[in-house]
Amino acid sequence: MPGPGTDRAAVRQRILQATYDCVARWGLSKTTVEDAAREAGLSRATVYRYFPGGRDELISAVVGWEYARFFLRLYEEVRDALSLEEVIERGLMFAHRAIREHEVLQRILLTEPEVLLPQLSVESDGTEQLIANFLVPYLEHHALAPGISVTEAADFLSRMVLSFIGAPGRWDMEDPDQVAQLVRAELLGGIVPAGA
């Protein structure tokens, strides 16, 4: 059990990592508070002190934690991009690859989508706004079509980026040329002036 001087954030992180490890091993629906406590080397009571809502709160926190880690990695991938086109292209390719290669996510989407998808919907509520806010400085330095505001463009692009990350359709997200064509022809087509 953590002592009085133990950092609360470190204990919370330990519980989240332990729960994630259990989910990776057994799935979302089979992971219990007891499993997480055992994996973390803590008592059930300690886990409940951090997550008084029990299993539902713990699972929700783990999904949110992994979601935040994904977007931090995405930010690291694109933060030094020099243009709007580059940031979107790199972001799409990284996000598609990261989701495809995320073994735990892929397994849960295959075996327990009814448990995971509602959790992801909750997390995605603020994601569009985060992406839009990130794109604003790039849009402020980019020519926009007449009548298009930076805010409108950022909102549109954030929605489209999220859509293509999850469902690329006919586009091969591993082919830089196709991703560049998607960004320029479809995503930016109605936002930037023709020929820009």
Side-chain angles (χ1 to χ4, degrees), residues 26-78:
W26 299 304
L28 278 171
S29 59
K30 292 183 180 174
T31 296
T32 66
V33 171
E34 292 76 13
D35 295 329
R38 189 178 319 106
E39 184 77 18
L42 300 168
S43 69
R44 273 182 67 225
T46 299
V47 175
Y48 275 106
R49 272 196 292 282
Y50 283 82
F51 300 95
R55 184 189 177 286
D56 289 345
E57 183 181 349
L58 182 59
I59 293 297
S60 180
V62 167
V63 171
W65 175 68
E66 184 61 14
Y67 198 80
R69 291 196 317 168
F70 168 79
F71 277 97
L72 180 60
R73 290 193 327 271
L74 175 59
Y75 169 75
E76 291 296 323
E77 177 69 22
V78 301

Side-chain angles (χ1 to χ4, degrees), residues 70-177:
F70 168 79
F71 277 97
L72 180 60
R73 290 193 327 271
L74 175 59
Y75 169 75
E76 291 296 323
E77 177 69 22
V78 301
R79 71 180 178 158
D80 62 344
L82 299 177
S83 69
L84 177 62
E85 291 82 1
E86 183 183 2
V87 77
I88 296 172
E89 289 167 23
R90 284 171 55 183
L92 282 170
M93 291 184 72
F94 170 83
H96 177 75
R97 183 177 62 251
I99 289 171
R100 191 190 70 240
E101 293 173 358
H102 196 292
E103 291 178 23
V104 175
L105 175 63
Q106 292 303 322
R107 186 170 350 118
I108 292 171
L109 284 172
L110 185 64
T111 61
E112 304 175 272
E114 71 287 350
V115 179
L116 180 62
L117 294 177
Q119 295 284 342
L120 290 178
S121 295
V122 169
E123 292 303 324
S124 70
D125 285 347
T127 304
E128 284 179 10
Q129 192 59 51
L130 288 172
I131 293 172
N133 291 343
F134 184 80
L135 292 174
V136 163
Y138 292 95
L139 287 160
E140 288 175 340
H141 294 96
H142 202 291
L144 298 179
I148 303 291
S149 74
V150 167
T151 305
E152 291 169 329
D155 180 65
F156 170 78
L157 286 174
S158 68
R159 292 172 191 277
M160 294 305 292
V161 163
L162 282 175
S163 173
F164 278 104
I165 287 172
R170 64 186 173 90
W171 299 97
D172 180 354
M173 291 297 179
E174 296 177 32
D175 181 341
D177 292 334

